[in-house]
Amino acid sequence: MKSLKLDEKSVLVIGGGIAGLQVASDLAKFGVKVYLVERLPSLGGHVSLLSTIFPTLTNANEILLQKISEVTSHPNVQVLTNTEIKEINGTFGDFKIKIVRKPRYVDERKCIACGKCEKVCPVSVPKEYEMNLSHRKAIYMPLKAFPETYLIDEKNCLHFKGNECKACTDVCSEDAIDFSQAPIDMELKVDAIVLATGFDLFDARKIAQYGYGTYKNVITGLEYERLSHPEGPTNGKIVRVSDRKELKSVVFLLCVGSRDNKYNTYCCRIGCLNALKHAYILKKQYGDNVDAYICYIDIRASGKGLEEFYQEVRKSGITLIHGQPSDIRPLPDESLNVEIFDTSTHKLLSIVADLVVLETAIIPCTAIQEILNLPLSQYGFFQEKDLKLNTVETVIKGVFLAGTVQGPKNITETLEHASTAALRTIEALIEL
């Protein structure tokens, strides 16, 4: 019988989103040494941007902070954020990994996160996903930063553009600013690898008739999440982006970039429920003072509690339209004219909307494929060993998949898949 000395084994988990955190936590509890590598300076991935999670509308922040705490406080886990994988060699039981830690230009051992540097920084840039409604400085604290320290955005910092600006240096009493920092090369040796690099979002600008990127009041579902988030640019008040006025009408469009022969033919698994959640939150905030329309191909609400959630949302007074607009046109007051042929009533509808929300598809995030040379599925996600019997192993022994890196999933499915990946990894390590 094989020894169960898992404390002598080590695993590299690539990706610090919800899937990577779940894998790392599960492995660590079994005594495995885990190196969690995340290319961003923060943890949580897309979940860190969400306000609530369907169908229970649980606070997303509470769930994420619990997962982050489980991982960052565990002695078996070493978290390496702001770090990229450069090279992977070797085989199961003897993988050799070359990584590079990017400079923060702030000494994380000295920084006390007082925020004085941010206040004096003269550079202001828009926050990603917040529709130019809020800004950050060139030196800033990333959302869910780990470690909890400031960093300097080299791309926008005046110092790195040849300017003599040292405002942050002058105000830092801890002497934590260090413009001389350079990338640090490191090498790891691990027995197995788990890929948990998550997903990207379809670029809605590709569907020009919807006007995303051209019309201010056409936004994505993730941007809508920021509007409804208590820590978002409007402190949770859902408003018209162009002028922050209260809303009278909102149209939600499903399957933007998915179930489409021109882009992605697969179902994104989250769009329907996101739209239902978004419309429900809108009605809770505005009541009968707002009209909420969901334009759909069909509504897919398969899973525990999801059909019940769908039925509850329908009772809130939303309008479901079986169809998609051919075009969205701006009006003089920056509202939007949306014309849709409703195939269920055979009527052409013309809606004036203050806001149009595009529920965009999940698309593959597989940049590391060039390093690992793993095959991809017909949809571009990493290919699993067996679609029916084994969706977490790959054709490379000792390399496993967790979460949406294998295909579209909602958060519940992602966590379940990640735990399965951890279990299969442990089984393999026992047999090693």
Side-chain angles (χ1 to χ4, degrees):
M1 182 170 176
K2 296 287 183 178
S3 171
L4 298 182
K5 292 182 179 179
L6 291 174
D7 58 340
E8 298 177 359
K9 307 299 183 184
S10 59
V11 175
L12 170 68
V13 177
I14 305 176
I18 196 74
L21 291 168
Q22 184 67 45
V23 172
S25 177
D26 288 349
L27 290 173
K29 289 173 183 176
F30 276 90
V32 178
K33 171 65 179 177
V34 179
Y35 298 97
L36 178 63
V37 172
E38 166 57 48
R39 64 182 178 84
L40 298 177
S42 53
L43 296 171
H46 288 98
V47 176
S48 66
L49 299 171
L50 304 184
S51 56
T52 57
I53 296 173
F54 60 73
T56 58
L57 300 187
T58 307
N59 185 306
N61 195 50
E62 291 179 3
I63 293 174
L64 185 57
L65 287 177
Q66 178 184 339
K67 293 296 176 186
I68 291 175
S69 177
E70 286 177 6
V71 170
T72 57
S73 64
H74 204 291
N76 289 343
V77 183
Q78 181 176 350
V79 179
L80 300 165
T81 56
N82 213 36
T83 302
E84 293 186 349
I85 306 293
K86 286 300 181 183
E87 193 175 314
I88 297 177
N89 295 301
T91 57
F92 180 43
D94 188 27
F95 285 111
K96 297 178 178 63
I97 319 294
K98 290 184 179 180
I99 61 176
V100 57
R101 299 196 72 184
K102 295 174 287 186
R104 285 180 166 84
Y105 304 110
V106 176
D107 190 330
E108 58 195 59
R109 298 166 299 180
K110 296 180 179 180
C111 178
I112 59 173
C114 65
K116 293 178 182 178
C117 54
E118 186 176 28
K119 291 178 181 178
V120 300
C121 177
V123 177
S124 181
V125 296
K127 282 186 178 180
E128 191 176 12
Y129 296 119
E130 300 205 347
M131 303 142 286
N132 291 317
L133 293 179
S134 64
H135 295 72
R136 62 165 175 82
K137 299 299 186 72
I139 185 166
Y140 69 107
M141 175 77 73
L143 187 65
K144 300 295 183 293
F146 185 83
E148 191 174 338
T149 182
Y150 279 77
L151 63 79
I152 293 176
D153 172 7
E154 184 178 348
K155 179 181 177 182
N156 290 293
C157 176
L158 294 178
H159 177 83
F160 290 101
K161 293 183 176 182
N163 192 290
E164 292 300 319
C165 177
K166 290 186 178 180
C168 56
T169 303
D170 293 339
V171 78
C172 182
S173 59
E174 305 301 315
D175 195 28
I177 311 300
D178 184 1
F179 290 115
S180 68
Q181 280 189 359
I184 300 173
D185 293 318
M186 301 174 63
E187 292 190 10
L188 305 174
K189 181 182 177 300
V190 298
D191 296 293
I193 300 170
V194 180
L195 300 181
T197 51
F199 63 89
D200 288 324
L201 290 171
F202 175 78
D203 184 357
R205 288 172 294 190
K206 292 181 178 179
I207 306 180
Q209 65 265 32
Y210 291 163
Y212 179 71
T214 302
Y215 310 142
K216 291 181 180 179
N217 293 314
V218 178
I219 65 175
T220 66
L222 190 57
E223 290 170 335
Y224 183 91
E225 287 280 349
R226 300 307 297 159
L227 280 180
S228 63
H229 200 295
E231 297 176 7
T234 57
N235 301 118
K237 181 67 174 177
I238 306 169
V239 296
R240 197 163 83 151
V241 173
S242 60
D243 53 17
R244 299 198 183 206
K245 289 184 178 180
E246 292 194 349
L247 301 167
K248 296 179 180 179
S249 176
V250 179
V251 174
F252 300 89
L253 303 186
L254 296 185
C255 301
V256 177
S258 62
R259 302 189 67 196
D260 186 327
N261 290 330
K262 188 175 180 181
Y263 301 106
N264 304 292
T265 58
Y266 54 82
C267 173
C268 74
R269 300 285 300 167
I270 62 170
C272 292
L273 275 302
N274 274 340
L276 290 168
K277 180 184 76 169
H278 292 159
Y280 189 70
I281 292 172
L282 180 72
K283 294 296 286 186
K284 283 290 186 182
Q285 192 168 120
Y286 281 93
D288 293 336
N289 294 322
V290 70
D291 294 320
Y293 304 89
I294 296 179
C295 304
Y296 69 97
I297 296 175
D298 56 44
I299 298 292
R300 296 183 172 183
S302 176
K304 187 175 182 179
L306 299 184
E307 176 64 24
E308 292 80 0
F309 179 61
Y310 166 55
Q311 295 298 337
E312 183 180 352
V313 175
R314 291 199 66 171
K315 294 175 184 176
S316 69
I318 67 168
T319 300
L320 293 171
I321 301 173
H322 192 192
Q324 290 182 308
S326 57
D327 200 8
I328 294 175
R329 297 191 301 273
L331 298 174
D333 66 349
E334 294 193 285
S335 57
L336 302 155
N337 180 252
V338 184
E339 290 193 347
I340 312 161
F341 182 75
D342 188 342
T343 59
S344 63
T345 62
H346 299 285
K347 292 181 179 180
L348 180 63
L349 306 177
S350 182
I351 301 169
V352 176
D354 294 310
L355 201 64
V356 173
V357 182
L358 309 179
E359 304 292 357
T360 52
I362 284 175
I363 62 173
C365 180
T366 55
I368 200 169
Q369 198 243 355
E370 297 178 2
I371 296 174
L372 269 172
N373 198 29
L374 274 173
L376 303 179
S377 69
Q378 66 182 96
Y379 299 131
F381 295 90
F382 281 119
Q383 180 71 58
E384 64 286 312
K385 192 171 184 178
D386 189 300
L387 183 58
K388 293 183 178 180
L389 301 176
N390 190 344
T391 63
V392 298
E393 290 188 53
T394 69
V395 294
I396 299 179
K397 189 171 180 59
V399 177
F400 302 84
L401 306 175
T404 52
V405 73
Q406 181 264 337
K409 296 172 183 62
N410 62 40
I411 291 175
T412 300
E413 293 167 338
T414 295
L415 291 171
E416 291 172 350
H417 195 260
S419 287
T420 301
L423 181 60
R424 287 295 180 94
T425 303
I426 290 167
E427 290 173 347
L429 291 175
I430 291 172
E431 294 299 317
L432 185 62

